Amino acid sequence: MTLVPAFRVDELAVRVFANDEELGAAAAADAADAIRAAVERSGQANVMLATGNSQFTFLDALTARVDVPWDRVTGFHMDEYVGMDDGHPASFARYMRERVVDVVHPAAFHYVDGTNDAAIECVRYAELLRAHPLDLCCLGVGENGHLAFNDPPFADFDDAFDVKEVDLDDVSRRQQVGEGHFPSLDDVPRSAITVTIPAVLRAPRVLAIVPEARKAEAVRRALEEPIATSCPASVLRRAPHATLYLDRESAANISNA
């Protein structure tokens, strides 16, 4: 049950739910609708999914649905640490394999290869994205307001690249420790390969799944402060094709909720 009716902040639709379970179920239903529509339109759907602890409930709800034609889905994810292989417990490729691919067996899933030369991998993955234009992008928002690993203040709303290597800021790296993926900050890689903001927003349907109290300040900044790279998620307010899904905790700091 939504706590408040859907409202807009600039061009962005916002929905607030009582808890993460209701948020995840609603977002999964909308994602399933978008996937089915793409398959009906063109016979296949190209879908990008996000990682992180905040996506657990949504992905569990999405992969549990019986109305998603996974055999027509080609999947992508958003980022990977430079130098990390997919056997590492913190690998985002491993996350996607275990939580999505091994559960629903999509037609194909393209992983970012952290062990490849970063420059070569950026070109390779960008070419895959160009060959498979996204129909749906399901993303999260970091504690520092990042989208994928486009951290403030160096995120670029008009990036000329679709995939690039980036240095991670300490807030992003501390988030990974806080989520339990690394024992200490020193263990977190300092660079990653990420899909850029223009590339994720190019999908005609964008779902931003953002539960949990630790995201409340980033949500407030994204919705109430000026649109700026100091909070990359604020650019969602320029996306009429996007919906932001919040729960009671992540919406706690915004005035409308």
Side-chain angles (χ1 to χ4, degrees):
M1 179 181 66
T2 52
L3 287 179
V4 295
F7 61 95
R8 286 192 177 269
V9 179
D10 296 324
E11 297 183 84
L12 173 66
V14 182
R15 300 175 67 189
V16 182
F17 296 84
N19 53 52
D20 188 14
E21 288 69 28
E22 292 182 6
L23 181 164
D30 290 346
D33 286 346
I35 292 169
R36 289 196 307 273
V39 170
E40 290 171 5
R41 197 167 51 242
S42 59
Q44 63 181 13
N46 300 315
V47 178
M48 179 170 284
L49 300 170
T51 57
N53 293 12
S54 65
Q55 304 301 300
F56 287 168
T57 302
F58 162 69
L59 288 176
D60 286 348
L62 180 62
T63 56
R65 296 185 66 94
V66 298
D67 59 347
V68 179
W70 289 106
D71 61 336
R72 302 291 187 90
V73 172
T74 296
F76 294 85
H77 65 123
M78 296 183 174
D79 37 37
E80 184 60 280
Y81 299 107
V82 170
M84 182 171 287
D85 66 61
D86 64 3
H88 192 287
S91 163
F92 298 129
R94 177 174 178 169
Y95 176 114
M96 281 295 162
R97 185 177 69 245
E98 293 179 347
R99 293 190 167 272
V100 178
V101 177
D102 289 349
V103 178
V104 296
H105 308 290
F109 199 99
H110 296 290
Y111 302 100
V112 180
D113 183 358
T115 66
N116 197 7
D117 176 273
I120 294 172
E121 183 62 10
C122 289
V123 172
R124 185 190 75 87
Y125 210 68
E127 289 177 347
L128 282 169
L129 288 173
R130 291 289 183 176
H132 301 83
L134 293 178
D135 298 292
L136 171 68
C137 179
C138 302
L139 50 80
V141 171
E143 293 176 20
N144 63 357
H146 71 209
L147 299 178
F149 263 143
N150 297 282
D151 283 335
F154 301 110
D156 187 346
F157 295 161
D158 301 303
D159 209 308
F161 297 97
D162 283 354
V163 186
K164 66 181 183 181
E165 182 180 1
V166 294
D167 294 328
L168 301 177
D169 81 356
D170 284 348
V171 177
S172 276
R173 295 173 65 239
R174 282 195 296 271
Q175 178 178 329
Q176 302 306 313
V177 177
E179 291 186 357
H181 303 299
F182 296 93
S184 73
L185 188 63
D186 288 341
D187 296 300
V188 184
R190 294 183 177 275
S191 61
I193 295 166
T194 188
V195 178
T196 63
I197 288 174
V200 298
L201 294 186
R202 192 176 298 135
R205 190 75 177 95
V206 175
L207 312 183
I209 294 100
V210 191
E212 304 181 16
R214 64 195 174 91
K215 305 295 181 74
E217 182 55 19
V219 167
R220 184 200 66 77
R221 293 181 62 210
L223 296 183
E224 297 186 352
E225 293 187 2
I227 298 173
T229 57
S230 55
C231 182
S234 62
V235 77
L236 292 171
R237 286 158 47 197
R238 296 178 180 169
H241 57 298
T243 301
L244 175 62
Y245 300 80
L246 306 175
D247 65 4
R248 186 192 306 268
E249 293 183 347
S250 60
N253 291 1
I254 63 176
S255 58
N256 281 1

